[in-house]
Amino acid sequence: MGRDTGDRTAREPARADETAVLREAVDRLRAEAEGLRRAMRTRGVIEQAKGILAERLDCTPDEAFGHLMRLSQDSNRRLVEIAAGLVGRAAPIEEVSFGVTPPAAPVDEAVLQETPVGETGNTGEPAPPPTDAARVSPRPRAPTPAPPRNGPAAAVPGLSARYHLAASALASADSPDELARLAHEVALAPLGVVAVVLGRLTRDGALLLVGSHGVEPRRVSQWKRIPPETGVPLATAAHGGGLIWEFDSDHPDGRRAPETGRIVPGRSACAVPLRRGDRIVGAMSLGWDVPPARARATTQYVSALSGLVAGHLLRFSAPDVDEPGAAVPGGEHWFRAVLDAVFDPVLVLSAVREGGSTEGSQREITDLRVRYANTATGTDPRVGRRLSELHPGLVTTGTFAGIVAAAATGVGYEGRSEDFTDPASGQVLAVRAEPLLDGVLLTWRPADGAVERAARLGEVQRMAGVGTVAWTPGSPPELSAEARRLLGLDPDRTEPVGPAEALARVHPDDRPALRLLIRRLLAGRRTAALEFDVGRPGEPSRTVRLTAEATDDPGAGRPSEVRGVLQDVTRRHRTEQALTETRARLAEQRRRAGAEHRTARALQKALLAVPGEPEPSGAVLEYAARYLPATDRPRSGGDWYDLAGLPDGRILLAVGDVSGHGLAATVGMAELRHALRALCYTATGPGEMLERLNTMLCHQGGHRIASVLCGLLDPAAATLTWSAAGHSPPAVLRGTTATLAKGPAGTVLGALPEARCRDAVLPLRAGTDTVLLWTDGLLNRRDGGTVRPDRLLRAAGECGVRDPADCLDHIADRLGGPNPADDSCLLAVRLRPGPSR
């Protein structure tokens, strides 16, 4: 056993060394992976620049890379900036905007002071040395004309290079948050953008925030899911609203959104749809901290960048969001299975937009494209075709316009149309279009489905707990299936229900009221309503509400039929009863709490009234006391103070705080205060008095504790003998300096039966020294934290030799007034100067 123990002890250092080596290896590999990830962000741009130089200089890729290195060294600029500038000139931003090239607003270049990144020539970037320029462009080329100042190319200098830098960097993002961060740091931050938010469209049309940078997490959490009908610019852009600008102040070129609708910080913001081809996958919100003119000048660049972001955003999965590559929910197997199980034909259509020539305007929906067709539509190919091409007969009627309007406005459409699937049939079809994401869900069926409508009405009545009743005097009442179920009858029975049988289901106490309601309706009353209980004997009853009206017979001049609706209101009735009972209990609790509070305050006020002068002449002592009740707490606390003259000429000074609030704390404070006064006549000193109080509290076993500062002031000797039990020591104000007395703190009363308290003697100067006592509520403040005692001492030092009452008012004011969460007491005493002292 000894040999095994020795071997195990020897192996432990070896294992520790192996762990350290493995940790170092993991850290090294992690650093290398991070370095490779950073390199991959710029590798694409550098490789493109090498290809361009190799083609222009007719050299190898290695020689082209050498040219780039020399240009970087000679111009003292990073290699990736040189490469991005070259690629940007070879492929300007208007050529790589994924077909989304809204015109930029006219902007004077003098407004824009942005330093170009990697651009040369007309961008204002210092040209490289002639030798390198000659090496880059050995063949003569026509000078590149400057872009027009007010056309689509009048953009911020250097944007083409920055775009290519972003295209390379965004490819390394491994999450939506990382994508937002890279888009901000690489592509947008130098332009004045301070925050980026990315949102993905969900299956139900809502916008889910999946990535952000520069926005408080709390703000992102509040706007995590944005319904489409909220009118928030980010959601509007995601539903085809185009690029939308917002400004903090009224601006002639933009809109001012409510502050609650702004997600990103900044002086202005823009919401940009994220498109891939003709598909909107989400939206991006940018917060700007630059003048509006400067921000709007980058519109074309932002639109092109949104295409990049949209492509990379599809790489990441998110809950409730379409799978990557699925244009509409029709591309998902579960959605197809649901649609194929429907008997009626169903088409999933997405919007086809055209126009939108002005910046920020929503492009008009001109047609709808089939994304999926269920089995009931037939076997001929439909997916990918436009609705106008598939069913041209719809275009000649108002049905096509109604379907397009449903996609544009988000309001469903129902109508009738001639049979557009088979014009020779002569049928009339009922057409229904419901908005679905960026399109509609279209279905149709023959319009003569009376049985189907009745079945649908029955389902609606069952779900809503509503049934219909119709009764003609002299005939059995006609009850719907749901009405029979509410009365406790078989809903599937076919034989009529007689009036006596229906009335037998009503609770006996409610039958007279129901008969009276029917008589009034037959006597000429137009409408009436009644709630009554129904159910079989021995079963739980149900409360229903009958709302009825009488229809007149023009020939007879009297009501011919009574029609009504039965509604199950059991849950509402029980809820109202519970709410009424809860309100009554709450009112009773408030009444009791108010009475308790008034009683406690009255008792506390009576107990804390400062008695008259300790000596009839009033020539020995100056004193003042303040009780500061809590401002936010309706219940009184257990803070107290006491000042009383004793037969031997000494004066009792005390402050304390009993745990708890309300009447119980006030009663406990009264017991403790009176017990302390009684002990003044039997005990020898403050410490002994506190020990006896502790014994009393521990013996009572009321689970109550208290902190107390007790002192005996001797005017003849000009001394204060004091002792504390879990309480702050007294402070002495001498001139303009206040200090805490040194002495034992002790243990709170009621905690330990064996606790001991020691006395301390504090010498005083008559006429100049002021003794201050207080409870902890003065310093322990929940609203602003604990106040340090030195603040109290500084406030006391500012009082000098003022009157004690003025001194207490000044201290309370400097410490912020009464504590909102706790009561507090202050006591100040000063010996008057006299011949004997």
Side-chain angles (χ1 to χ4, degrees), residues 5-279:
T5 304
D7 293 341
R8 186 163 54 252
T9 305
R11 285 196 299 268
E12 289 179 355
R15 291 177 180 173
D17 294 340
E18 292 176 0
T19 302
V21 172
L22 290 175
R23 187 181 295 110
E24 292 177 359
V26 171
D27 293 341
R28 184 174 63 255
L29 291 175
R30 184 177 294 135
E32 292 176 359
E34 181 62 25
L36 290 174
R37 189 177 294 111
R38 289 194 300 267
M40 288 300 296
R41 296 174 186 170
T42 58
R43 180 177 178 181
V45 177
I46 296 175
E47 291 297 325
Q48 292 181 54
K50 285 169 57 179
I52 294 172
L53 283 180
E55 185 273 333
R56 291 186 179 180
L57 301 179
D58 193 17
C59 63
T60 65
D62 290 340
E63 292 173 341
F65 185 73
H67 282 297
L68 288 175
M69 290 294 295
R70 287 191 293 273
L71 283 174
S72 175
Q73 295 170 359
D74 294 342
S75 61
N76 195 24
R77 295 164 63 193
R78 293 192 306 161
L79 178 63
V80 66
E81 295 181 357
I82 298 295
L86 183 59
V87 176
R89 296 198 64 186
I93 189 173
E94 56 267 19
E95 300 177 10
V96 291
S97 58
F98 295 99
V100 184
T101 313
V107 177
D108 190 349
E109 291 180 2
V111 179
L112 309 170
Q113 301 298 329
E114 165 158 28
T115 302
V117 178
E119 291 279 38
T120 58
N122 294 327
T123 63
E125 181 69 30
T131 56
D132 290 325
R135 285 196 295 270
V136 174
S137 303
R139 296 191 294 268
R141 300 178 60 192
T144 303
R149 298 181 63 85
N150 293 322
V156 178
L159 292 185
S160 294
R162 194 173 301 282
Y163 175 87
H164 292 286
L165 280 175
S168 180
L170 296 183
S172 64
D174 54 6
S175 68
D177 285 330
E178 179 75 3
L179 182 65
R181 184 184 69 81
L182 291 175
H184 175 258
E185 294 178 353
V186 179
L188 296 168
L191 306 182
V193 174
V194 296
V196 179
V197 169
L198 303 179
R200 284 283 304 273
L201 280 173
T202 60
R203 299 184 182 98
D204 57 1
L207 193 69
L208 185 68
L209 301 190
V210 295
S212 64
H213 184 70
V215 184
E216 294 181 2
R218 179 180 61 85
R219 188 70 173 168
V220 176
S221 177
Q222 291 172 343
W223 291 92
K224 188 67 176 177
R225 186 179 181 89
I226 308 174
E229 67 273 6
T230 56
V232 175
L234 189 61
T236 304
H239 287 275
L243 191 148
I244 302 174
W245 285 97
E246 307 170 71
F247 302 103
D248 282 349
S249 58
D250 295 335
H251 193 276
D253 298 327
R255 52 179 280 183
R256 178 188 175 104
E259 185 62 27
T260 55
R262 174 78 66 81
I263 303 176
V264 294
R267 296 160 59 184
S268 59
C270 67
V272 190
L274 298 179
R275 298 178 181 271
R276 290 299 288 173
D278 63 347
R279 175 191 176 199

Side-chain angles (χ1 to χ4, degrees), residues 229-405:
E229 67 273 6
T230 56
V232 175
L234 189 61
T236 304
H239 287 275
L243 191 148
I244 302 174
W245 285 97
E246 307 170 71
F247 302 103
D248 282 349
S249 58
D250 295 335
H251 193 276
D253 298 327
R255 52 179 280 183
R256 178 188 175 104
E259 185 62 27
T260 55
R262 174 78 66 81
I263 303 176
V264 294
R267 296 160 59 184
S268 59
C270 67
V272 190
L274 298 179
R275 298 178 181 271
R276 290 299 288 173
D278 63 347
R279 175 191 176 199
I280 298 180
V281 301
M284 174 173 63
S285 182
L286 306 179
W288 300 78
D289 198 21
V290 295
R294 180 172 178 177
R296 291 169 62 89
T298 61
T299 298
Q300 181 179 357
Y301 170 73
V302 170
S303 298
L305 183 67
S306 67
L308 278 178
V309 175
H312 291 295
L313 190 61
L314 291 178
R315 295 191 286 114
F316 311 115
S317 62
D320 298 330
V321 186
D322 300 334
E323 295 293 333
V328 291
E332 300 176 356
H333 64 88
W334 65 267
F335 194 71
R336 293 183 178 185
V338 172
L339 296 184
D340 289 340
V342 178
F343 288 105
D344 297 330
V346 179
L347 295 179
V348 180
L349 306 172
S350 63
V352 177
R353 288 181 169 85
E354 297 177 2
S357 58
T358 59
E359 176 193 331
S361 64
Q362 180 177 356
R363 297 193 297 167
E364 181 182 0
I365 298 178
T366 58
D367 209 336
L368 298 163
R369 191 181 302 277
V370 178
R371 293 303 184 184
Y372 183 71
N374 72 339
T375 305
T377 57
T379 57
D380 58 311
R382 298 171 181 267
V383 177
R385 299 175 62 183
R386 295 193 177 197
L387 184 62
S388 59
E389 300 171 354
L390 185 63
H391 298 299
L394 280 174
V395 182
T396 59
T397 67
T399 305
F400 180 82
I403 299 172
V404 172

Side-chain angles (χ1 to χ4, degrees), residues 727-749:
H727 204 92
S728 302
V732 178
L733 172 61
R734 180 170 295 170
T736 59
T737 303
T739 58
L740 291 176
K742 295 181 179 180
T747 305
V748 292
L749 303 181

